[in-house]
Amino acid sequence: MNKCRHLAIIMDGNGRWAKAQGKPRTAGHLAGADNVRTIAIAADQAGVEYLTMYAFSTENWKRAADEVNYIMKLPAVFFKKYMQEFIDRGFRMWIIGELDALPAATRDVLMDAMEKSKTNTGLNLIICMNYGSQREILLAAKAYAKDVLEGKADLDITEEQFEDYLMTKGFPPVDLLIRTSGELRISNYLLWQIAYAELEFVPEAWPEFTPEVLNRCLEEYQNRDRRFGGVKNV
Ligand code: FPP
């Protein structure tokens, strides 16, 4: 049976879910943020150690200004509601992405959540904000090249050593990637980290992705035959 240490989720379908209920897209994002808490608790209870959530991509800036502004304000709402509970549950918050490009108030809230939970040893809840995987790999390559030029790194490094330049430094590889809402895409998410991940695409929109659906996904994952490029054991 496979253990899912690191679960990554592409939380898709907030807008469609809201529209189907005659609500504005932003209502979908609010319900989506609340569901981050629900699923983090369920994932923790299922033994997941790292939960990485795609909240805002480098491409999401193309959306209407009102929607972008709303998503930028969500972390403040989210952590005001749930931070104390996360601390009590021992969750450690991580935020990855290019945080410098975020509004200062959003960045402050995110940095504060990381700071306040940095001694916690429970579930690692990783929120990706202004994150894009190609950018992440490019920035890592640049940082590595700089280290080589400055004599701080050897030209001959391993994959494991290169991982120290990624934003996910210190996290194990992704075991299972789930995308909600029926789209069959990776959308520039954790391209390096999902090299050997199992993939699951579910029809439910993110706000209707319940702990039951999560547990079904984990059960299916546990029964997958993971060979990591090797040969099936018979
Ligand atoms: C995708 O649905 C969702 C997003 C781009 C935003 C996700 C953000 C959250 C769930 C909020 C999380 C925030 C925090 C701070 C925890 P979509 O809008 O692309 O849906 P659609 O495909 O139906 O239009």
Side-chain angles (χ1 to χ4, degrees):
M1 202 167 85
N2 305 310
K3 163 134 180 74
C4 183
R5 287 189 73 201
H6 190 167
L7 169 64
I9 303 184
I10 302 177
M11 305 182 280
D12 196 10
N14 292 345
R16 276 165 287 169
W17 176 84
K19 198 167 165 223
Q21 308 207 355
K23 293 180 184 164
R25 292 178 58 80
T26 48
H29 296 316
L30 182 61
D34 283 337
N35 206 33
V36 171
R37 166 190 170 265
T38 306
I39 295 305
I41 293 169
D44 183 38
Q45 285 166 353
V48 169
E49 296 167 40
Y50 295 81
L51 176 63
T52 306
M53 312 295 267
Y54 209 177
F56 193 84
S57 76
T58 47
E59 289 73 32
N60 286 152
W61 296 105
K62 293 181 210 151
R63 295 182 176 217
D66 280 359
E67 185 174 341
V68 170
N69 290 339
Y70 187 85
I71 296 176
M72 288 301 148
K73 290 195 178 117
L74 261 183
V77 176
F78 178 74
F79 286 119
K80 187 160 189 265
K81 263 200 226 167
Y82 303 127
M83 191 63 198
Q84 190 53 52
E85 182 186 3
F86 291 167
I87 297 279
D88 295 343
R89 289 182 182 273
F91 291 2
R92 180 160 184 191
M93 306 299 311
W94 301 87
I95 317 295
I96 64 172
E98 288 178 90
L99 305 188
D100 289 353
L102 299 175
T106 310
R107 195 170 54 241
D108 289 350
V109 166
L110 297 170
M111 302 298 284
D112 186 55
M114 273 202 279
E115 181 62 27
K116 283 204 174 103
S117 63
K118 72 178 182 195
T119 56
N120 284 358
T121 55
L123 176 77
N124 292 282
L125 177 54
I126 302 142
I127 310 265
C128 304
M129 280 299 272
N130 193 28
Y131 173 86
S133 188
Q134 291 184 334
R135 252 324 266 160
E136 177 193 28
I137 295 169
L138 181 66
L139 291 173
K142 283 168 78 171
Y144 168 54
K146 189 164 176 284
D147 277 358
V148 171
L149 284 174
E150 292 174 0
K152 294 180 194 154
D154 202 274
L155 193 51
D156 191 25
I157 63 164
T158 63
E159 286 89 335
E160 286 74 23
Q161 287 166 326
F162 186 73
E163 282 170 1
D164 283 351
Y165 291 93
L166 296 174
M167 293 171 181
T168 51
K169 175 180 173 172
F171 304 157
V174 173
D175 294 303
L176 172 63
L177 171 67
I178 299 173
R179 181 173 189 139
T180 61
S181 205
E183 308 287 343
L184 307 179
R185 283 190 294 278
I186 301 296
S187 300
N188 201 13
Y189 193 43
L190 302 171
L191 299 177
W192 176 288
Q193 298 85 347
I194 62 168
Y196 281 99
E198 295 293 322
L199 309 179
E200 290 193 33
F201 300 92
V202 298
E204 289 84 359
W206 172 247
E208 58 193 15
F209 183 87
T210 58
E212 290 69 35
V213 183
L214 171 71
N215 289 331
R216 217 167 54 221
C217 288
L218 288 170
E219 214 166 285
E220 188 189 326
Y221 161 81
Q222 280 158 5
N223 294 319
R224 295 264 179 100
D225 180 22
R226 298 190 81 191
R227 298 205 292 276
F228 300 95
V231 177
K232 186 176 173 63
N233 283 326
V234 283

